[in-house]
mmCIF file of all heavy atoms in Angstrom:
data_model
loop_
_atom_site.group_PDB
_atom_site.id
_atom_site.type_symbol
_atom_site.label_atom_id
_atom_site.label_comp_id
_atom_site.label_asym_id
_atom_site.label_seq_id
_atom_site.Cartn_x
_atom_site.Cartn_y
_atom_site.Cartn_z
ATOM 1 N N GLN A 178 18.673 8.159 -155.725
ATOM 2 C CA GLN A 178 19.200 9.522 -155.696
ATOM 3 C C GLN A 178 20.335 9.605 -156.714
ATOM 4 O O GLN A 178 21.322 8.873 -156.602
ATOM 5 C CB GLN A 178 19.705 9.899 -154.312
ATOM 6 C CG GLN A 178 20.159 11.349 -154.223
ATOM 7 C CD GLN A 178 20.478 11.767 -152.796
ATOM 8 O OE1 GLN A 178 20.532 10.943 -151.896
ATOM 9 N NE2 GLN A 178 20.694 13.060 -152.589
ATOM 10 N N PRO A 179 20.191 10.454 -157.717
ATOM 11 C CA PRO A 179 21.216 10.510 -158.761
ATOM 12 C C PRO A 179 22.523 11.070 -158.227
ATOM 13 O O PRO A 179 22.552 11.861 -157.288
ATOM 14 C CB PRO A 179 20.601 11.449 -159.801
ATOM 15 C CG PRO A 179 19.666 12.319 -159.012
ATOM 16 C CD PRO A 179 19.121 11.443 -157.929
ATOM 17 N N ALA A 180 23.607 10.631 -158.852
ATOM 18 C CA ALA A 180 24.931 11.153 -158.479
ATOM 19 C C ALA A 180 25.157 12.435 -159.257
ATOM 20 O O ALA A 180 25.763 12.439 -160.329
ATOM 21 C CB ALA A 180 25.997 10.116 -158.804
ATOM 22 N N LEU A 181 24.685 13.532 -158.723
ATOM 23 C CA LEU A 181 24.787 14.822 -159.398
ATOM 24 C C LEU A 181 25.993 15.582 -158.870
ATOM 25 O O LEU A 181 26.146 15.732 -157.656
ATOM 26 C CB LEU A 181 23.518 15.642 -159.160
ATOM 27 C CG LEU A 181 22.232 15.067 -159.769
ATOM 28 C CD1 LEU A 181 21.017 15.819 -159.257
ATOM 29 C CD2 LEU A 181 22.296 15.138 -161.289
ATOM 30 N N PRO A 182 26.845 16.060 -159.756
ATOM 31 C CA PRO A 182 28.019 16.813 -159.287
ATOM 32 C C PRO A 182 27.600 18.167 -158.732
ATOM 33 O O PRO A 182 26.762 18.851 -159.324
ATOM 34 C CB PRO A 182 28.868 16.971 -160.559
ATOM 35 C CG PRO A 182 27.874 16.905 -161.676
ATOM 36 C CD PRO A 182 26.802 15.955 -161.232
ATOM 37 N N PRO A 183 28.151 18.582 -157.592
ATOM 38 C CA PRO A 183 27.831 19.898 -157.063
ATOM 39 C C PRO A 183 28.403 21.004 -157.951
ATOM 40 O O PRO A 183 29.415 20.813 -158.621
ATOM 41 C CB PRO A 183 28.487 19.897 -155.677
ATOM 42 C CG PRO A 183 29.608 18.904 -155.799
ATOM 43 C CD PRO A 183 29.115 17.854 -156.758
ATOM 44 N N VAL A 184 27.734 22.124 -157.968
ATOM 45 C CA VAL A 184 28.211 23.273 -158.744
ATOM 46 C C VAL A 184 28.727 24.333 -157.769
ATOM 47 O O VAL A 184 28.332 24.371 -156.607
ATOM 48 C CB VAL A 184 27.080 23.840 -159.627
ATOM 49 C CG1 VAL A 184 26.668 22.831 -160.681
ATOM 50 C CG2 VAL A 184 25.873 24.234 -158.779
ATOM 51 N N PRO A 185 29.637 25.206 -158.226
ATOM 52 C CA PRO A 185 30.176 26.235 -157.328
ATOM 53 C C PRO A 185 29.083 27.156 -156.804
ATOM 54 O O PRO A 185 28.149 27.507 -157.520
ATOM 55 C CB PRO A 185 31.164 26.989 -158.217
ATOM 56 C CG PRO A 185 31.482 26.048 -159.354
ATOM 57 C CD PRO A 185 30.254 25.236 -159.571
ATOM 58 N N VAL A 186 29.231 27.542 -155.556
ATOM 59 C CA VAL A 186 28.268 28.425 -154.897
ATOM 60 C C VAL A 186 28.988 29.695 -154.459
ATOM 61 O O VAL A 186 30.010 29.618 -153.775
ATOM 62 C CB VAL A 186 27.628 27.743 -153.678
ATOM 63 C CG1 VAL A 186 26.655 28.693 -152.975
ATOM 64 C CG2 VAL A 186 26.907 26.462 -154.085
ATOM 65 N N PRO A 187 28.489 30.862 -154.861
ATOM 66 C CA PRO A 187 29.143 32.111 -154.433
ATOM 67 C C PRO A 187 29.136 32.252 -152.912
ATOM 68 O O PRO A 187 28.199 31.804 -152.235
ATOM 69 C CB PRO A 187 28.283 33.212 -155.079
ATOM 70 C CG PRO A 187 27.513 32.524 -156.161
ATOM 71 C CD PRO A 187 27.320 31.115 -155.716
ATOM 72 N N GLN A 188 30.190 32.857 -152.383
ATOM 73 C CA GLN A 188 30.266 33.067 -150.934
ATOM 74 C C GLN A 188 29.513 34.334 -150.557
ATOM 75 O O GLN A 188 30.071 35.328 -150.124
ATOM 76 C CB GLN A 188 31.735 33.139 -150.514
ATOM 77 C CG GLN A 188 32.484 31.838 -150.698
ATOM 78 C CD GLN A 188 31.818 30.673 -149.967
ATOM 79 O OE1 GLN A 188 31.540 30.769 -148.781
ATOM 80 N NE2 GLN A 188 31.553 29.597 -150.687
ATOM 81 N N ASP A 189 28.213 34.286 -150.744
ATOM 82 C CA ASP A 189 27.348 35.415 -150.389
ATOM 83 C C ASP A 189 26.118 34.841 -149.707
ATOM 84 O O ASP A 189 26.214 33.899 -148.921
ATOM 85 C CB ASP A 189 26.997 36.248 -151.624
ATOM 86 C CG ASP A 189 26.369 35.410 -152.759
ATOM 87 O OD1 ASP A 189 26.044 34.228 -152.524
ATOM 88 O OD2 ASP A 189 26.159 35.957 -153.855
ATOM 89 N N TYR A 190 24.962 35.391 -150.005
ATOM 90 C CA TYR A 190 23.712 34.882 -149.438
ATOM 91 C C TYR A 190 23.525 33.398 -149.706
ATOM 92 O O TYR A 190 23.143 32.631 -148.812
ATOM 93 C CB TYR A 190 22.541 35.698 -150.015
ATOM 94 C CG TYR A 190 21.196 35.036 -149.908
ATOM 95 C CD1 TYR A 190 20.584 34.853 -148.681
ATOM 96 C CD2 TYR A 190 20.532 34.608 -151.059
ATOM 97 C CE1 TYR A 190 19.344 34.253 -148.587
ATOM 98 C CE2 TYR A 190 19.280 34.023 -150.979
ATOM 99 C CZ TYR A 190 18.690 33.836 -149.738
ATOM 100 O OH TYR A 190 17.458 33.243 -149.656
ATOM 101 N N PHE A 191 23.818 32.961 -150.941
ATOM 102 C CA PHE A 191 23.617 31.556 -151.278
ATOM 103 C C PHE A 191 24.578 30.653 -150.513
ATOM 104 O O PHE A 191 24.217 29.548 -150.108
ATOM 105 C CB PHE A 191 23.741 31.350 -152.788
ATOM 106 C CG PHE A 191 22.646 32.023 -153.569
ATOM 107 C CD1 PHE A 191 22.923 33.099 -154.395
ATOM 108 C CD2 PHE A 191 21.338 31.599 -153.459
ATOM 109 C CE1 PHE A 191 21.921 33.730 -155.104
ATOM 110 C CE2 PHE A 191 20.318 32.222 -154.165
ATOM 111 C CZ PHE A 191 20.616 33.291 -154.991
ATOM 112 N N GLY A 192 25.816 31.100 -150.318
ATOM 113 C CA GLY A 192 26.760 30.306 -149.554
ATOM 114 C C GLY A 192 26.326 30.126 -148.113
ATOM 115 O O GLY A 192 26.444 29.026 -147.540
ATOM 116 N N SER A 193 25.793 31.175 -147.505
ATOM 117 C CA SER A 193 25.340 31.065 -146.120
ATOM 118 C C SER A 193 24.106 30.179 -146.015
ATOM 119 O O SER A 193 23.967 29.407 -145.058
ATOM 120 C CB SER A 193 25.046 32.456 -145.548
ATOM 121 O OG SER A 193 23.958 33.066 -146.223
ATOM 122 N N LYS A 194 23.209 30.249 -146.992
ATOM 123 C CA LYS A 194 22.030 29.399 -146.975
ATOM 124 C C LYS A 194 22.412 27.940 -147.168
ATOM 125 O O LYS A 194 21.835 27.046 -146.539
ATOM 126 C CB LYS A 194 21.049 29.830 -148.067
ATOM 127 C CG LYS A 194 20.247 31.063 -147.717
ATOM 128 C CD LYS A 194 19.379 30.826 -146.502
ATOM 129 C CE LYS A 194 18.560 32.054 -146.142
ATOM 130 N NZ LYS A 194 17.786 31.862 -144.887
ATOM 131 N N LEU A 195 23.392 27.664 -148.024
ATOM 132 C CA LEU A 195 23.838 26.297 -148.219
ATOM 133 C C LEU A 195 24.417 25.730 -146.923
ATOM 134 O O LEU A 195 24.147 24.572 -146.557
ATOM 135 C CB LEU A 195 24.874 26.223 -149.341
ATOM 136 C CG LEU A 195 25.446 24.841 -149.622
ATOM 137 C CD1 LEU A 195 24.341 23.878 -150.061
ATOM 138 C CD2 LEU A 195 26.545 24.908 -150.680
ATOM 139 N N ALA A 196 25.210 26.525 -146.220
ATOM 140 C CA ALA A 196 25.774 26.062 -144.944
ATOM 141 C C ALA A 196 24.666 25.743 -143.948
ATOM 142 O O ALA A 196 24.748 24.752 -143.205
ATOM 143 C CB ALA A 196 26.708 27.133 -144.384
ATOM 144 N N ASN A 197 23.613 26.555 -143.939
ATOM 145 C CA ASN A 197 22.491 26.282 -143.042
ATOM 146 C C ASN A 197 21.764 25.005 -143.420
ATOM 147 O O ASN A 197 21.369 24.214 -142.555
ATOM 148 C CB ASN A 197 21.534 27.477 -143.063
ATOM 149 C CG ASN A 197 20.331 27.273 -142.161
ATOM 150 O OD1 ASN A 197 19.244 26.898 -142.627
ATOM 151 N ND2 ASN A 197 20.492 27.536 -140.873
ATOM 152 N N LEU A 198 21.590 24.769 -144.727
ATOM 153 C CA LEU A 198 20.930 23.543 -145.184
ATOM 154 C C LEU A 198 21.756 22.313 -144.832
ATOM 155 O O LEU A 198 21.210 21.271 -144.449
ATOM 156 C CB LEU A 198 20.677 23.615 -146.687
ATOM 157 C CG LEU A 198 19.674 24.664 -147.177
ATOM 158 C CD1 LEU A 198 19.636 24.692 -148.695
ATOM 159 C CD2 LEU A 198 18.289 24.414 -146.615
ATOM 160 N N GLU A 199 23.067 22.421 -144.966
ATOM 161 C CA GLU A 199 23.940 21.289 -144.626
ATOM 162 C C GLU A 199 23.856 20.944 -143.153
ATOM 163 O O GLU A 199 24.073 19.796 -142.767
ATOM 164 C CB GLU A 199 25.383 21.626 -145.017
ATOM 165 C CG GLU A 199 25.601 21.680 -146.525
ATOM 166 C CD GLU A 199 26.989 22.183 -146.889
ATOM 167 O OE1 GLU A 199 27.606 22.906 -146.058
ATOM 168 O OE2 GLU A 199 27.452 21.888 -148.021
ATOM 169 N N TRP A 200 23.539 21.929 -142.334
ATOM 170 C CA TRP A 200 23.451 21.703 -140.904
ATOM 171 C C TRP A 200 22.096 21.115 -140.501
ATOM 172 O O TRP A 200 21.994 20.349 -139.543
ATOM 173 C CB TRP A 200 23.682 23.020 -140.170
ATOM 174 C CG TRP A 200 23.657 22.919 -138.679
ATOM 175 C CD1 TRP A 200 24.491 22.168 -137.896
ATOM 176 C CD2 TRP A 200 22.753 23.572 -137.792
ATOM 177 N NE1 TRP A 200 24.163 22.329 -136.568
ATOM 178 C CE2 TRP A 200 23.106 23.187 -136.471
ATOM 179 C CE3 TRP A 200 21.703 24.469 -137.971
ATOM 180 C CZ2 TRP A 200 22.413 23.644 -135.349
ATOM 181 C CZ3 TRP A 200 21.026 24.929 -136.855
ATOM 182 C CH2 TRP A 200 21.382 24.519 -135.568
ATOM 183 N N THR A 201 21.034 21.454 -141.243
ATOM 184 C CA THR A 201 19.680 21.050 -140.844
ATOM 185 C C THR A 201 19.097 19.905 -141.674
ATOM 186 O O THR A 201 18.065 19.351 -141.290
ATOM 187 C CB THR A 201 18.730 22.256 -140.940
ATOM 188 O OG1 THR A 201 18.797 22.826 -142.261
ATOM 189 C CG2 THR A 201 19.102 23.313 -139.922
ATOM 190 N N PHE A 202 19.722 19.517 -142.794
ATOM 191 C CA PHE A 202 19.205 18.451 -143.642
ATOM 192 C C PHE A 202 20.153 17.252 -143.600
ATOM 193 O O PHE A 202 21.363 17.414 -143.433
ATOM 194 C CB PHE A 202 19.060 18.924 -145.096
ATOM 195 C CG PHE A 202 17.864 19.781 -145.353
ATOM 196 C CD1 PHE A 202 17.775 21.066 -144.812
ATOM 197 C CD2 PHE A 202 16.803 19.322 -146.123
ATOM 198 C CE1 PHE A 202 16.682 21.871 -145.048
ATOM 199 C CE2 PHE A 202 15.700 20.120 -146.360
ATOM 200 C CZ PHE A 202 15.638 21.391 -145.817
ATOM 201 N N PRO A 203 19.612 16.042 -143.790
ATOM 202 C CA PRO A 203 20.501 14.864 -143.865
ATOM 203 C C PRO A 203 21.344 14.892 -145.126
ATOM 204 O O PRO A 203 20.886 15.350 -146.184
ATOM 205 C CB PRO A 203 19.526 13.693 -143.872
ATOM 206 C CG PRO A 203 18.230 14.249 -144.388
ATOM 207 C CD PRO A 203 18.176 15.666 -143.902
ATOM 208 N N ALA A 204 22.568 14.436 -145.044
ATOM 209 C CA ALA A 204 23.474 14.421 -146.199
ATOM 210 C C ALA A 204 23.040 13.330 -147.180
ATOM 211 O O ALA A 204 22.399 12.351 -146.794
ATOM 212 C CB ALA A 204 24.902 14.190 -145.722
#
Side-chain angles (χ1 to χ4, degrees):
Q178 185 172 10
L181 295 170
V184 295
V186 178
Q188 294 304 308
D189 55 9
Y190 160 68
F191 294 113
S193 65
K194 282 298 180 184
L195 179 62
N197 180 261
L198 294 175
E199 290 173 336
W200 182 60
T201 54
F202 283 68

